[in-house]
Amino acid sequence: MTVLRLNPSATSSYGRHMRNTMDKVTATQLSTYNDEFNADVKNKLATLTISRDSYSEALGDRSSYLQHPAVFSHKLSIDPPITNQKRSGRCWIFACLNILRLQMMQEYKLEELELSQPFVFFYDKLEKANWFLENVLATADEDVDGRVVQYLLKDPVNDGGQFDMIVALLEKYGVVPKEAYPETFHTSNSGEMDALITSRLREFAVQLRQAQAEGKSAEELRERKRGMLAEVHRVLVVSLGQPPERVTWAFYNKDKKFHEFRGISPLEFYKSYVKVDCTRLVSLINDPRNAYMRKYTVQYLGNVAEAQGVRYVNVDIESMKQYASRVIQSGRPVWFGCDVGKFRISSKGLLDCKAIDYKSAFNFALGSTKAQRLQYGDSAMTHAMVLTGVHIEDDRPVRWRVENSWGDASGVKGYLTLTDEWFSEYVYQIVLDKSDLPQRVVDVLDQDAVELPPWDPMGALAQ
């Protein structure tokens, strides 16, 4: 946050001004509010009902989930076991690897497969630490109380990320089967480790900024930074285990035939066995605040220093849904980012703008536009999942099937249903292969990117 520095007299003047000009809540007002509330008998019923349960359960509209059963005219032929990110923010990693495993399951005739999210997680933390320290050096001459520096200091190694960031990790480090690098306590419960690394990185930021102010050379600063990174690496290895350099992948397929591949490097496993060219995948966003058919990026958003950075192509929502529907109907999944907390009935696994009847209880309905919610901080990308089905009626999508990563006890055996209206209002991003897009959309990638500020909601999934 930006700290407003005022001298004592200015602070006193500001305080007097606010006290003299702000409208106050008075006892008369409170009495009027109470009288109006008690005059409406419906309010008593609302209080008795809602005070005992969550809004989503107490105000859930039964007609909504009856209208949208978990039945779809088109869905993927494979339903792999549901994954569980547990108490971590690794949804973007889980969603990507859940997509990659599907092609492998088809090719190798597997009933189940899970790729190691902890392996990617390890290198994401290390790369984010380096990214942060490099940005500390790049902004060393800026005011530490300025908004940019304070933003960088806020959460340098958080669990979140963007799709282009996992592509950068896969292309550099590869991936391994889950059994070759499984979960530890700190992959599934990342808060304690994140807090320790964050505190240490902030101490490093103090040291680097001081060294810069003392006139240390760029090479001296980088040498100190490399030593700092060694400490982060030590924390990661102690907490998560040392990632393997070679693995063996052994399995029985659906025909009960045994297969074994020995001595594979993680990068070789990714290139030779996953066989998905993630560099061809394009992130489409729907951001009605900004012009469509333009390329966007978010300042200071990334992890791998030498990667190309995060790129988006902004498209209208109807085009986005059309592209996603075609891919699902062709039998392939779609990675997507959304605001998962809005209008969700967890017990029914339903995301629907009409699912929670706020008006009956509170005499108002929420009515901001998508652009207004983004502009005023009421919505942002908070979660990544996978679209695995769509229900089409009269040539238009009605509802979508979603594979989540919160375990099979969440939703309906791990799956959610989102309505097409909810898609329009709260889905912000999908990822598709270039071959699934019109050439005019792909050509937008050749534009110079419009830079959004670091705190923009289009970067929220990585925050």
Side-chain angles (χ1 to χ4, degrees):
M1 79 181 165
T2 302
V3 177
L4 184 63
R5 297 198 179 280
L6 300 171
N7 61 49
S9 61
T11 303
S12 176
S13 174
Y14 172 79
R16 286 195 301 271
H17 170 76
M18 294 304 292
R19 286 193 298 272
N20 292 334
T21 60
M22 292 183 79
D23 190 31
K24 305 169 184 63
V25 178
T26 67
T28 301
Q29 279 179 280
L30 287 173
S31 178
T32 301
Y33 297 158
N34 286 329
D35 289 344
E36 290 175 349
F37 182 87
N38 294 325
D40 189 344
V41 68
K42 185 185 74 172
N43 289 331
K44 184 175 182 180
L45 177 60
T47 301
L48 290 172
T49 303
I50 296 168
S51 61
R52 301 177 184 181
D53 210 337
S54 67
Y55 291 161
S56 61
E57 294 301 325
L59 301 176
D61 189 335
R62 186 168 181 265
S63 64
S64 180
Y65 45 84
L66 291 177
Q67 185 181 351
H68 298 289
V71 178
F72 304 87
S73 57
H74 302 83
K75 77 179 191 71
L76 304 191
S77 58
I78 296 178
D79 276 344
I82 291 294
T83 55
N84 194 343
Q85 67 188 77
K86 298 185 179 178
R87 295 175 63 86
S88 74
R90 298 174 290 163
C91 60
W92 59 294
I93 298 174
F94 273 72
C96 178
L97 298 186
N98 284 347
I99 285 176
L100 297 185
R101 68 174 173 168
L102 285 172
Q103 182 165 319
M104 297 179 69
M105 292 177 69
Q106 290 175 327
E107 179 169 350
Y108 294 99
K109 300 180 180 179
L110 302 176
E111 292 184 343
E112 59 182 45
L113 173 68
E114 194 167 349
L115 299 175
S116 177
Q117 308 90 0
F119 182 87
V120 179
F121 188 63
F122 179 100
Y123 287 111
D124 179 58
K125 294 296 181 187
L126 186 65
E127 290 285 353
K128 277 178 178 169
N130 183 62
W131 181 270
F132 168 75
L133 294 173
E134 284 293 318
N135 281 317
V136 167
L137 293 174
T139 59
D141 292 329
E142 296 188 23
D143 185 355
V144 70
D145 292 322
R147 189 173 185 184
V148 169
V149 175
Q150 285 297 309
Y151 172 83
L152 294 173
L153 292 168
K154 182 181 178 183
D155 202 1
V157 290
N158 70 84
D159 289 357
Q162 256 299 332
F163 193 85
D164 283 343
M165 293 164 64
I166 192 171
V167 173
L169 293 166
L170 292 170
E171 290 292 317
K172 184 172 182 177
Y173 295 104
V175 72
V176 298
K178 185 72 170 272
E179 57 266 26
Y181 193 69
E183 301 281 343
T184 70
F185 176 86
H186 292 285
T187 59
S188 300
N189 304 267
S190 57
E192 192 175 27
M193 182 186 72
D194 287 353
L196 175 62
I197 295 174
T198 296
S199 291
R200 192 63 175 137
L201 286 174
R202 288 170 180 155
E203 291 182 341
F204 292 155
V206 173
Q207 296 169 22
L208 288 176
R209 288 176 66 90
Q210 287 176 344
Q212 169 87 350
E214 293 166 1
K216 301 297 183 184
S217 69
E219 184 50 40
E220 287 178 297
L221 293 170
R222 286 265 160 67
E223 187 61 30
R224 290 192 185 191
K225 186 211 74 170
R226 286 188 279 270
M228 294 168 178
L229 246 136
E231 288 195 23
V232 175
H233 179 268
R234 187 180 305 115
V235 173
L236 291 172
V237 173
V238 169
S239 304
L240 310 182
Q242 196 153 12
E245 296 181 2
R246 297 278 171 181
V247 300
T248 295
W249 184 35
F251 58 88
Y252 290 97
N253 66 13
K254 291 180 180 179
D255 300 326
K256 308 303 179 185
K257 292 183 178 179
F258 178 74
H259 296 269
E260 184 178 49
F261 304 94
R262 302 181 63 85
I264 315 165
S265 73
L267 201 55
E268 182 185 357
F269 182 79
Y270 169 62
K271 297 288 187 180
S272 300
Y273 297 92
V274 176
K275 295 181 182 178
V276 176
D277 184 359
C278 290
T279 63
R280 288 185 49 82
L281 300 177
V282 180
S283 286
L284 305 180
I285 57 170
N286 174 244
D287 178 2
R289 301 169 305 161
N290 292 305
Y292 295 136
M293 297 303 289
R294 292 295 305 273
K295 177 182 171 183
Y296 293 88
T297 189
V298 178
Q299 295 171 336
Y300 297 103
L301 179 59
N303 52 359
V304 178
E306 66 269 29
Q308 66 179 355
V310 173
R311 305 173 302 163
Y312 304 127
V313 177
N314 196 19
V315 299
D316 67 272
I317 194 64
E318 292 304 319
S319 294
M320 178 181 279
K321 290 191 289 188
Q322 182 184 65
Y323 303 150
S325 177
R326 287 176 181 171
V327 170
I328 292 169
Q329 291 183 59
S330 74
R332 291 171 292 140
V334 175
W335 186 103
F336 78 106
C338 66
D339 190 352
V340 74
K342 300 293 189 181
F343 293 96
R344 183 179 85 239
I345 301 182
S346 298
S347 63
K348 304 297 181 182
L350 180 65
L351 297 155
D352 178 16
C353 297
K354 298 182 176 65
I356 303 174
D357 186 4
Y358 291 115
K359 190 168 185 179
S360 291
F362 303 112
N363 292 335
F364 67 82
L366 298 173
S368 297
T369 66
K370 192 173 190 177
Q372 289 168 340
R373 289 191 295 271
L374 289 169
Q375 287 170 327
Y376 286 84
D378 190 52
S379 187
M381 269 190 280
T382 60
H383 191 48
M385 299 181 284
V386 181
L387 293 170
T388 63
V390 61
H391 187 69
I392 304 294
E393 292 181 3
D394 298 324
D395 297 323
R396 293 187 61 81
V398 174
R399 57 183 174 269
W400 304 74
R401 185 177 190 247
V402 176
E403 177 189 351
N404 200 1
S405 55
W406 291 347
D408 57 13
S410 173
V412 179
K413 298 181 179 178
Y415 287 88
L416 302 175
T417 297
L418 63 87
T419 64
D420 193 61
E421 181 186 10
W422 195 94
F423 190 122
S424 296
E425 296 298 325
Y426 295 107
V427 170
Y428 292 105
Q429 179 181 3
I430 65 171
V431 174
L432 300 178
D433 190 275
K434 290 179 181 179
S435 63
D436 296 314
L437 298 170
Q439 189 59 44
R440 61 185 178 84
V441 175
V442 177
D443 288 344
V444 174
L445 292 171
D446 295 329
Q447 297 178 6
D448 293 331
V450 176
E451 293 188 348
L452 301 172
W455 41 84
D456 191 88
M458 287 301 109
L461 192 60
Q463 297 169 3

